[in-house]
Amino acid sequence: MKELIKFEYRKIWNKVTIAAIVAMCIISTLYALIYLNLQWNTIDKNGNIVSGLKSYRALKEASKETEGILDNNYIQKLKKKYNASFDKKYLEEHPGYLGTGGMTKYMVPNYFINFAYYGVDMSNGNDKIGLDYKFLNSEESFYQKYRETLKEYFVLSNEWNGLAPYTEEQINVLEKKIENVKTPVRVEYFQGLANLTCYYEMEYPLIFVVLAFALAALYSKDSKSGINELSLSSRLGRKKNIRARWIAGNLFTVVVYFIFIGTLLAEHGIMASLHGWNGSAQTFYFGCLYNINIGTGILIQFIGGLFGALVMANFVMLLSMKTKNAKFTTVGAIVAVWLLLKGQGTYSQIKLLNPLQFKTSELIEEYLFLGKTAIPYFIVVLVLAIFYISIFLCFMRKSDKKYYLN
């Protein structure tokens, strides 16, 4: 069986498959290089404007003085430094600078502090980076305000998503989780990681497209890598052959997914570095209630994305078995990707069932309530992925007994 799986796995790596993977990597790299080089600028540690890809390294260097534990001493020093800084003066003279691609070393701490004031209305821009707040008079008053805003953030987000308002018991559950968030938080430069997750979420559908092309022929009868008379009448038998193809298809999906992740890590690590893994997740994911660092949060996103890719792979393999035609399967899978993309645009919570949603920051920030039990969305994603794959596999097993070439 092991040798049969290896054989079927090697067959997946044909010219079409390799071309699709290479195209995915080239598109990802070119998109990052062109977009990040054209738009972004930063104010470096000397008060100079640095443009293009060099701006990220300049920002990392300038951000060294703003890294640390956001306690009372940090807050008071931050207020003095920011109010006397070139950055503040420049932002006041150039409205919209940050919103049009500008960066400053004060983004991470100041945005986190401003979230405590704006909550769900928080956005990037120099209108939401100031520090003129009474609650910054002490560490205690700041984190008290922060926790109050977190509660409001969850309540309003729930209503905006069209769900029934939280019950009093559910709010009590959230309040306990909010109280358990460890403070003070740790601040670190993380722009490279921010770029990584941003492009990861934007480019994630490319994996689904690659799988549509690569796995469409796995059970087809119109392809050299598909099923033929020899496959169905082999010594190991029909059942083992079809199972070996399923295992090979899933192994291929894992490999392609890691190629995709590796490409993104290389791109953004080289351009902006991957510094900031140990920063508190709350400074990166404003709605995070877990006591984890940024690196753990990103890892959770990557795991969720892998499960989403496996769901798509199993759907393509089922379609291949049903149609027995590589071209029909490819077209059907591409249409499915398009429909999933359309489904992401809805404000309804039904979108959380969408496999394309399995890679978003909601894995770290979203809770779904079952009565008064708060279930983390990343747990829901794991259950959904196993459910989807089990359903697809069930239909495939029913079809393999009736699979005939004519």
Side-chain angles (χ1 to χ4, degrees):
M1 185 67 173
K2 184 178 178 181
E3 292 302 316
L4 185 58
I5 293 171
K6 287 182 179 179
F7 175 70
E8 295 298 340
Y9 176 77
R10 286 195 297 268
K11 282 168 62 180
I12 298 175
W13 290 88
N14 52 49
K15 291 180 180 179
V16 173
T17 300
I18 294 171
I21 294 173
V22 171
M24 175 186 71
C25 296
I26 291 174
I27 291 171
S28 174
T29 302
L30 287 178
Y31 185 59
L33 282 172
I34 294 171
Y35 182 76
L36 293 177
N37 185 56
L38 287 178
Q39 182 173 358
W40 293 92
N41 312 291
T42 194
I43 303 171
D44 70 8
K45 62 181 181 180
N46 299 316
N48 299 313
I49 305 300
V50 182
S51 301
L53 297 179
K54 294 185 294 183
S55 63
Y56 295 99
R57 293 290 174 169
L59 178 64
K60 180 177 181 292
E61 185 66 26
S63 296
K64 288 180 179 179
E65 64 180 83
T66 60
E67 293 191 342
I69 304 299
L70 209 153
D71 54 16
N72 188 64
N73 185 47
Y74 182 103
I75 292 172
Q76 304 315 317
K77 284 184 177 180
L78 179 67
K79 286 198 298 182
K80 290 179 181 178
K81 285 184 177 180
Y82 178 70
N83 288 329
S85 69
F86 169 82
D87 302 58
K88 180 182 179 182
K89 181 180 178 182
Y90 187 89
L91 294 175
E92 289 174 346
E93 294 174 354
H94 297 79
Y97 175 72
L98 287 173
T100 55
M103 299 182 290
T104 169
K105 62 190 175 187
Y106 293 104
M107 287 193 305
V108 177
N110 289 29
Y111 276 167
F112 178 69
I113 288 170
N114 274 264
F115 171 76
Y117 180 80
Y118 287 102
V120 291
D121 295 320
M122 183 61 191
S123 63
N124 68 325
N126 56 10
D127 59 329
K128 293 183 172 67
I129 199 170
L131 299 176
D132 188 22
Y133 301 115
K134 289 184 179 179
F135 59 73
L136 291 179
N137 290 338
S138 70
E139 176 185 337
E140 292 75 17
S141 60
F142 165 66
Y143 284 110
Q144 180 182 348
K145 175 64 176 174
Y146 167 69
R147 286 184 165 84
E148 291 171 357
T149 300
L150 266 181
K151 176 183 173 181
E152 182 183 90
Y153 174 83
F154 277 98
V155 170
L156 290 178
S157 296
N158 185 65
E159 292 179 6
W160 288 1
N161 285 325
L163 298 178
Y166 288 127
T167 65
E168 188 175 336
E169 289 180 328
Q170 290 171 340
I171 290 176
N172 288 337
V173 170
L174 285 174
E175 286 177 339
K176 289 179 181 178
K177 290 184 178 295
I178 291 170
E179 284 300 318
N180 287 331
V181 173
K182 291 181 180 179
T183 56
V185 300
R186 178 170 184 78
V187 173
E188 288 191 9
Y189 159 88
F190 57 60
Q191 191 58 44
L193 297 178
N195 293 344
L196 171 67
T197 54
C198 177
Y199 281 75
Y200 167 70
E201 293 189 23
M202 285 194 298
E203 297 173 5
Y204 181 73
L206 288 175
I207 302 172
F208 282 38
V209 175
V210 169
L211 294 175
F213 282 97
L215 300 180
L218 198 59
Y219 293 100
S220 71
K221 62 180 182 179
D222 64 334
S223 171
K224 292 181 180 179
S225 59
I227 287 181
N228 53 32
E229 290 88 347
L230 183 62
S231 300
L232 297 178
S233 60
S234 64
R235 181 174 60 84
L236 292 173
R238 171 198 301 262
K239 185 176 181 180
K240 286 188 176 180
N241 183 274
I242 288 178
R243 187 187 302 169
R245 291 171 186 269
W246 179 81
I247 294 172
N250 282 288
L251 286 174
F252 171 82
T253 301
V254 174
V255 171
V256 170
Y257 185 76
F258 278 109
I259 290 174
F260 174 69
I261 295 297
T263 302
L264 288 172
L265 288 171
E267 292 166 3
H268 299 288
I270 292 170
M271 285 187 279
S273 90
L274 301 177
H275 182 77
W277 289 87
N278 289 321
S280 296
Q282 286 70 30
T283 64
F284 193 83
Y285 305 99
F286 288 150
C288 178
L289 302 183
Y290 307 113
N291 293 312
I292 57 176
N293 58 28
I294 295 171
T296 303
I298 293 174
L299 181 60
I300 290 172
Q301 278 193 261
F302 286 170
I303 292 172
L306 174 59
F307 275 87
L310 288 170
V311 169
M312 181 61 185
N314 280 267
F315 171 75
V316 175
M317 287 189 282
L318 172 62
L319 205 57
S320 177
M321 181 171 283
K322 290 294 185 182
T323 66
K324 302 179 184 179
N325 185 288
K327 294 182 180 66
F328 289 163
T329 299
T330 302
V331 172
I334 295 296
V335 170
V337 174
W338 179 77
L339 291 173
L340 290 173
L341 284 168
K342 293 276 286 184
Q344 277 194 302
T346 178
Y347 287 101
S348 169
Q349 289 293 84
I350 195 73
K351 70 179 181 180
L352 296 178
L353 304 177
N354 187 335
L356 279 179
Q357 201 72 15
F358 291 2
K359 75 339 179 159
T360 64
S361 60
E362 289 171 313
L363 287 166
I364 295 93
E365 299 177 305
E366 187 84 25
Y367 286 93
L368 299 178
F369 274 93
L370 188 62
K372 58 182 180 180
T373 302
I375 305 174
Y377 180 50
F378 69 83
I379 298 296
V380 175
V381 162
L382 298 184
V383 173
L384 281 174
I386 293 170
F387 173 74
Y388 289 151
I389 293 171
S390 298
I391 292 296
F392 295 150
L393 185 57
C394 179
F395 280 110
M396 289 178 70
R397 284 177 174 173
K398 287 183 178 181
S399 297
D400 68 5
K401 297 176 184 177
K402 302 175 182 178
Y403 194 103
Y404 299 101
L405 292 178
N406 300 311

